[in-house]
Amino acid sequence: MSTAITEKRPSTLRGASLPKWSPYAIAAGSVALGLGISAAAGLDSSIQWVLIAGLLFVLGTYAIAARVEGRRQAKDRVATALVWVAFLLAVVPLVSLVWSTVSRGVKVLDIYFLTHSMGLVADSEPGGGIYHAIIGSLEQVGLATLIAAPIGVLTAIYLVEYGRGKLAKAVTFFVDVMTGIPSIVAGLFILSIMLMFDMQPFGFAGSLALAILMMPVVVRSTEEMLKLVPNELREASLALGIPKWRTILKVVIPTSLGGITTGIMLAIARIAGETAPVLLLVWGNSLINSNPFEGAQQSLPLYIYQQYANSAGSGAAYDRAWAASLTLIAFVMILNLVARGIARWKAPKTGR
Amino acid sequence: MAKRIDVSGLTAYYGSHKAIEDISMTVEPRSVTAFIGPSGCGKSTFLRTLNRMHEVTSGGRVEGKVLLDDEDLYGQGIDPVSVRREVGMVFQRPNPFPTMSIFDNVAAGLRLNGSYKKSELSEVVEKSLKGANLWNEVKDRLNKPGSGLSGGQQQRLCIARAIAVEPKVLLMDEPCSALDPISTLAIEDLIGELKERFTIVIVTHNMQQAARVSDRTAFFNLAAVGQPGKLIEIDETERIFSNPSVQATEDYISGRFG
Ligand SMILES: Nc1ncnc2c1ncn2[C@@H]1O[C@H](COP(=O)(O)OP(=O)(O)OP(=O)(O)O)[C@@H](O)[C@H]1O
Ligand SMILES: [Mg+2]
């Protein structure tokens, strides 16, 4: 009985709706139309047809949905469409960057390339490798991390756990200012000190400049992570009669360890690509120099720059530059993966 | 060993805001004292002054005396860390350490204080978990994270953690407010057992609970919003609930308040 009645009455909960495949159809249609329009108008840049297609997709979604489903659903669909278009616009350059680096970088990237320096090879000739640059980068970035990570983490602990009053405000202010220091200025700062003592370029000078750049990033990210630790945990620990420093060491830091390491890894990734201070302070070197405290060194970003700048358009140098870029990206990527791994491994456990 | 608490003329501030004013009372050893009163009257604040947790809040400040068996907690040269080892606390919301296993949670107080013998540790953990009526539920998964327990189990884990360091006094701030009736009953039974060994102070909004578990009850009130909270009266629980000497107490208990 009751089913018969409900069948007759039009449902107020169910409205007309577009089929599931309609967004894809609209997308395909707008891409085709975009291509058509730009061909007809003689536009030859691919950016133009992509933008036209994106615009058509959003407008088309609204028009069709408004027709069939009504205005509220149409707005909903437009919001979704906008998110998708924005997502694609953001992802396309990223993917194409990775793609061109990989496709051009693999040409000369092999074991030989990773294990030889440019000592016997002129910049315009084929051959040679980036061993000296990898050594230099690892040492400079490693030393910078050894300096910046402990100072940064301790500063953040001070700010979150102890900092009250004027000193904490001053520290926060300086960290903010340091975040905005351009890398070349950090380089110049160290250079001016080196000139005072009449020193020659060496790797550790670059590490100092990189540490200046890295420190505020570590402070900021660690601060955010420590603030996420609920106060209740600190109080629970203090109420057990555990001293404050042990509470910080054994309760607060373990709880936020994943986040803190992620922040440090990302800061390392950021300074690994810095060129300007390295150019000023470490100079670059085509020979292997594994002593960061004496003599010019090479580093990956600097190597890339010099292969382009010093080789007078030689194809072999360009290939090497791309291969070095690929190595650098791979390094950053691995750091990111490691950071994620640690974050997941160290995250507070909730399972049974 | 349970200890007596003697409070006299205690006033506590948050910055410039006076939260409680001029409170004096005695908490008897080996008994349960319940604090009742409307929200915001300063029960939690007062409780936290009893183990010097109040000063952990920024701006927290205390005037007056709290004697723990004749020793003033706020006297010269008193180490708040030692005070908190003698006066333990259980919070309203269960807060086990998320990075630690059930075992480590209970052992945390001993381990982080550095005052334990390795061989005794598992014994103490077992004893504390049994004391908190949790042993049977968790004995097969001591190495699993404490945050994987139910809310009521987590609260009992926090109680086990608090009693593992053998405090003289146990402060509980609304320990059952997030729990179902069965867990609440388990914790009330537990309080009954614990009072053999500890001095217990419990804050509760539940009149029946206060009547069930406590030997003495203190009623707090505040004159108006923004005014400091005050102790109205403290007496045997039976008297407070049957025949209080202040009208406001009777109004509050019988629900004719405000
Ligand atoms: N961290 C704080 N900073 C500033 N003021 C606070 C803080 N905590 C509590 N207060 C104030 O102190 C007064 C007493 O608060 P308290 O938490 O002790 O009340 P309570 O009796 O425990 O209330 P409830 O029953 O709701 O838990 C209130 O006026 C409150 O606004
Ligand atoms: Mg409270």
Side-chain angles (χ1 to χ4, degrees):
Chain A
M1 255 277 296
S2 64
T3 48
I5 291 172
T6 47
E7 266 167 27
K8 270 180 211 158
R9 223 182 272 157
S11 165
T12 51
L13 299 180
R14 209 176 305 141
S17 73
L18 288 169
K20 275 251 166 64
W21 45 263
S22 59
Y24 305 105
I26 298 173
S30 37
V31 167
L33 214 61
L35 280 172
I37 290 176
S38 59
L43 308 170
D44 43 24
S45 158
S46 59
I47 292 177
Q48 284 161 331
W49 76 256
V50 167
L51 287 179
I52 293 173
L55 203 63
L56 284 174
F57 176 58
V58 173
L59 293 179
T61 305
Y62 185 78
I64 293 173
R67 254 288 162 68
V68 182
E69 297 181 326
R71 308 200 103 209
R72 188 175 54 75
Q73 283 92 335
K75 279 182 199 152
D76 185 35
R77 281 190 186 269
V78 163
T80 315
L82 275 175
V83 169
W84 273 102
V85 169
F87 167 70
L88 288 177
L89 286 182
V91 156
V92 165
L94 204 68
V95 168
S96 79
L97 182 139
V98 171
W99 172 245
S100 55
T101 312
V102 170
S103 63
R104 296 188 203 197
V106 290
K107 261 190 240 166
V108 292
L109 186 62
D110 51 21
I111 299 293
Y112 181 90
F113 183 73
L114 291 176
T115 53
H116 287 74
S117 76
M118 297 295 290
L120 301 172
V121 188
D123 278 340
S124 54
E125 291 168 16
I130 55 171
Y131 181 67
H132 57 315
I134 294 178
I135 292 279
S137 264
L138 285 181
E139 286 180 352
Q140 289 151 30
V141 171
L143 287 171
T145 309
L146 279 184
I147 300 169
I151 298 181
V153 169
L154 288 175
T155 308
I157 290 177
Y158 167 75
L159 287 177
V160 175
E161 306 290 338
Y162 293 95
R164 305 261 181 279
K166 286 213 175 92
L167 182 59
K169 285 217 179 84
V171 172
T172 310
F173 176 74
F174 278 117
V175 169
D176 282 344
V177 171
M178 275 177 78
T179 318
I181 291 182
S183 57
I184 187 79
V185 176
L188 282 174
F189 170 65
I190 300 292
L191 184 65
S192 67
I193 297 175
M194 276 168 69
L195 291 181
M196 264 195 290
F197 294 98
D198 208 15
M199 286 191 280
Q200 295 301 309
F202 62 113
F204 186 64
S207 304
L208 288 177
L210 294 180
I212 293 179
L213 296 172
M214 184 175 174
M215 216 140 37
V217 184
V218 174
V219 174
R220 271 277 163 274
S221 60
T222 308
E223 232 187 316
E224 292 311 315
M225 287 306 138
L226 291 178
K227 278 185 194 157
L228 283 182
V229 176
N231 238 339
E232 283 131 50
L233 290 184
R234 294 188 181 89
E235 294 198 338
S237 173
L238 291 175
L240 286 174
I242 298 169
K244 186 162 180 175
W245 65 273
R246 295 214 83 170
T247 299
I248 293 170
L249 210 63
K250 297 287 183 178
V251 175
V252 178
I253 298 209
T255 309
S256 53
L257 192 61
I260 294 175
T261 27
T262 309
I264 292 176
M265 294 288 184
L266 294 179
I268 294 176
R270 180 183 179 275
I271 60 163
E274 283 296 346
T275 320
V278 183
L279 181 61
L280 274 182
L281 303 169
V282 191
W283 270 43
N285 189 344
S286 55
L287 300 169
I288 299 170
N289 171 14
S290 51
N291 180 0
F293 297 100
E294 203 186 336
Q297 270 191 318
Q298 190 57 285
S299 93
L300 278 171
L302 185 56
Y303 176 91
I304 297 167
Y305 166 72
Q306 288 179 342
Q307 286 300 310
Y308 263 101
N310 304 346
S311 60
S314 140
Y318 281 15
D319 286 345
R320 281 195 297 266
W322 279 110
S325 312
L326 182 55
T327 315
L328 190 54
I329 290 185
F331 173 69
V332 171
M333 211 86 115
I334 290 171
L335 272 186
N336 268 307
L337 288 179
V338 169
R340 274 162 190 269
I342 291 177
R344 184 170 303 177
W345 172 48
K346 282 291 177 189
K349 297 157 189 70
T350 48
R352 308 205 129 222
Chain B
M1 270 306 292
K3 283 195 178 180
R4 172 200 310 275
I5 307 176
D6 255 307
V7 184
S8 53
L10 190 107
T11 302
Y13 301 83
Y14 289 102
S16 58
H17 172 65
K18 194 191 271 182
I20 48 175
E21 185 175 34
D22 195 21
I23 293 184
S24 305
M25 69 162 71
T26 302
V27 176
E28 300 294 339
R30 293 166 194 278
S31 73
V32 178
T33 305
F35 292 175
I36 58 172
S39 189
C41 69
K43 304 179 296 294
S44 302
T45 306
F46 180 57
L47 199 70
R48 290 163 60 93
T49 61
L50 299 182
N51 66 343
R52 297 197 60 170
M53 284 298 287
H54 180 64
E55 65 209 50
V56 171
T57 327
S58 70
R61 200 154 49 81
V62 176
E63 288 164 7
K65 272 188 182 172
V66 180
L67 300 183
L68 188 66
D69 270 5
D70 305 326
E71 196 163 18
D72 186 6
L73 299 187
Y74 289 91
Q76 279 258 312
I78 297 283
D79 179 8
V81 171
S82 325
V83 170
R84 291 173 201 142
R85 279 179 204 174
E86 304 236 312
V87 187
M89 186 160 198
V90 175
F91 296 82
Q92 177 169 0
R93 285 205 301 172
N95 50 4
F97 300 126
T99 51
M100 297 185 195
S101 67
I102 293 172
F103 184 95
D104 292 342
N105 259 288
V106 182
L110 292 177
R111 273 208 186 122
L112 302 188
N113 284 333
S115 58
Y116 70 100
K117 293 201 196 86
K118 269 224 162 70
S119 51
E120 288 174 359
L121 203 56
S122 56
E123 215 173 289
V124 172
V125 168
E126 180 174 342
K127 202 176 100 196
S128 310
L129 283 170
K130 278 182 176 156
N133 263 329
L134 190 61
W135 176 251
N136 286 329
E137 287 154 76
V138 300
K139 62 172 183 259
D140 304 321
R141 46 171 169 150
L142 290 174
N143 294 319
K144 297 283 160 57
S147 37
L149 298 171
S150 80
Q153 290 171 328
Q154 285 187 23
Q155 189 64 301
R156 277 178 282 151
L157 179 63
C158 293
I159 293 175
R161 182 176 67 184
I163 61 181
V165 293
E166 288 284 323
K168 312 287 193 283
V169 180
L170 194 58
L171 310 175
M172 304 174 124
D173 193 352
E174 299 183 43
C176 304
S177 65
L179 304 184
D180 71 308
I182 295 173
S183 306
T184 302
L185 214 61
I187 287 182
E188 284 179 11
D189 289 347
L190 181 58
I191 291 172
E193 289 166 27
L194 291 178
K195 80 171 178 182
E196 310 288 319
R197 290 189 290 144
F198 306 104
T199 305
I200 293 183
V201 182
I202 176 174
V203 174
T204 177
H205 277 293
N206 181 331
M207 298 302 151
Q208 288 85 26
Q209 183 170 58
R212 280 194 300 263
V213 302
S214 72
D215 303 303
R216 284 158 61 83
T217 299
F219 173 62
F220 292 77
N221 204 351
L222 71 181
V225 177
Q227 299 285 319
K230 291 188 177 169
L231 175 67
I232 302 301
E233 65 175 315
I234 175 167
D235 211 331
E236 301 297 319
T237 299
E238 262 169 46
R239 264 193 64 113
I240 290 276
F241 280 92
S242 59
N243 183 18
S245 48
V246 182
Q247 184 61 36
T249 313
E250 192 174 342
D251 290 350
Y252 182 74
I253 288 167
S254 56
R256 263 179 281 134
F257 188 75

